[in-house]
Amino acid sequence: MERTLAIIKPDAVAAGVVGKILSRVEAAGFTIRALKLVHLSKRQAEGFYQVHRERPFFQDLTTFMSSGPAVPLLLERENAIAAWRELMGATNPAQAAEGTLRKEFATDIEKNAVHGSDSPATAAYEIAFFFSALDVCPRD
Ligand code: CMP
């Protein structure tokens, strides 16, 4: 079993599609090990996305991610990192395949509804960013 960190981003929470996205998570065979509703500060969003700090979109990205509540999720499944990235679809929803979450729920490359870790090392950092050991439900 592998774990990944997913986020239902502020655009999707504001659009009222948290329940729809969670039902897609469950239908795809992920076990939700932890979940919460958080409104990140700008500083916290900058910390979460520190790997992108040199990118031209860093300020916009962290302003958006601190613009309203979001729902981080700790997901577990076989091959969870790749499976969640496949379910999300391409970062830019204009390139996202039919049937993916970003095709259905994203607006543009910034307001793209969901986030997912891109490697085991990133997943470890991102999971620890949001969840302590006590937040994580150890079994079904
Ligand atoms: P996410 O998977 O959360 O990881 C970094 C985010 O930066 C990405 O989704 C996009 O929402 C956002 N972003 C904004 N502009 C760009 C861009 N030009 N290229 C890549 N990511 C971008």
Side-chain angles (χ1 to χ4, degrees):
M1 285 295 168
E2 186 175 62
R3 289 178 170 186
T4 192
L5 190 281
I7 305 177
I8 304 175
K9 293 188 179 186
D11 58 321
V13 176
V17 294
V18 171
K20 286 184 177 170
I21 292 174
L22 288 180
S23 59
R24 297 282 295 275
V25 167
E26 292 175 323
F30 293 94
T31 300
I32 299 171
R33 290 278 172 221
L35 167 160
K36 59 184 162 186
L37 184 69
V38 294
H39 189 156
L40 294 175
S41 67
K42 175 87 157 104
R43 185 65 63 90
Q44 288 169 328
E46 289 169 0
F48 180 77
Y49 279 118
Q50 60 165 296
V51 328
H52 295 307
R53 65 190 175 279
E54 305 297 341
R55 303 282 199 101
F57 55 83
F58 183 67
Q59 285 308 321
D60 283 351
L61 170 65
T62 53
T63 296
F64 162 63
M65 288 300 288
S66 56
S67 68
V71 178
L73 302 156
L74 172 40
L75 302 181
E76 188 173 271
R77 211 196 90 156
E78 258 178 48
N79 208 18
I81 294 171
W84 175 244
R85 291 180 72 78
E86 191 177 334
L87 182 59
M88 286 196 298
T91 305
N92 185 345
Q95 281 140 30
E98 285 299 334
T100 63
L101 296 172
R102 283 170 170 160
K103 178 74 176 180
E104 188 171 353
F105 299 112
T107 305
D108 56 40
I109 197 166
E110 180 178 280
K111 297 181 180 61
N112 65 354
V114 282
H115 167 83
S117 309
D118 63 6
S119 69
T122 312
Y125 174 80
E126 294 183 349
I127 289 166
F129 185 91
F130 283 109
F131 299 114
S132 74
L134 278 177
D135 295 321
V136 179
C137 189
R139 45 184 177 266
D140 301 324

